[in-house]
């Protein structure tokens, strides 16, 4: 069963991943690309990854910018699923 992470776990994640920030009951990151096609390609990769993990982001795309917010709606906050998806998304950016 998925459970909320504690503040120590969240702080540890944020220290290791300073481009992510806490935003109420979510973790949030903005990604910038050269153009819309690169942003859309990234979103396609995240969509496939999210579907495989069965954990889907809240996101927004404006031209070359993609903003992702992760939360676990079922339990009302940030869970290990959110951290795992954020780390997987980070790996996409570095592959």
């Amino acid at each position: 069963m998925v459970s909320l992470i504690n503040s120590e776990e969240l702080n540890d994640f944020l220290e290791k991943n300073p481009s992510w920030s806490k935003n109420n009951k979510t973790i949030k990151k903005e990604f910038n690309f050269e153009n819309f096609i690169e942003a859309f390609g990234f979103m396609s990769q995240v969509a496939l990854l999210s579907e495989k993990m069965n954990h889907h982001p809240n996101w927004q795309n404006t031209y070359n910018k993609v903003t992702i917010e992760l939360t676990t709606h079922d339990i009302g906050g940030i869970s290990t699923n959110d951290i795992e998806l954020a780390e997987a998304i980070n790996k996409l950016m570095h592959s």
Side-chain angles (χ1 to χ4, degrees):
M1 178 167 181
V2 177
S3 60
L4 294 173
I5 62 170
N6 62 41
S7 60
E8 185 177 314
E9 292 168 313
L10 178 59
N11 290 336
D12 185 50
F13 169 78
L14 294 173
E15 279 182 27
K16 291 177 183 172
N17 301 277
S19 58
W20 287 89
S21 61
K22 183 178 183 299
N23 185 37
N24 295 320
K25 294 182 178 186
T26 73
I27 52 175
K28 180 178 182 177
K29 183 173 179 176
E30 184 176 287
F31 299 85
N32 292 291
F33 299 91
E34 291 294 317
N35 53 50
F36 175 74
I37 295 298
E38 286 186 17
F40 189 83
F42 170 72
M43 291 178 72
S44 295
Q45 289 179 307
V46 172
L48 294 170
L49 181 64
S50 298
E51 188 65 19
K52 183 177 180 180
M53 295 177 75
N54 195 30
H55 192 63
H56 305 90
N58 298 332
W59 58 6
Q60 179 180 353
N61 168 241
T62 305
Y63 184 61
N64 69 331
K65 185 189 311 179
V66 177
T67 304
I68 295 179
E69 284 190 89
L70 302 174
T71 189
T72 303
H73 298 283
D74 295 347
I75 58 174
I78 303 165
S79 75
T80 54
N81 285 356
D82 301 304
I83 299 302
E84 289 172 14
L85 182 53
E87 289 172 342
I89 291 168
N90 285 344
K91 287 180 184 173
L92 283 178
M93 293 300 297
H94 296 86
S95 59

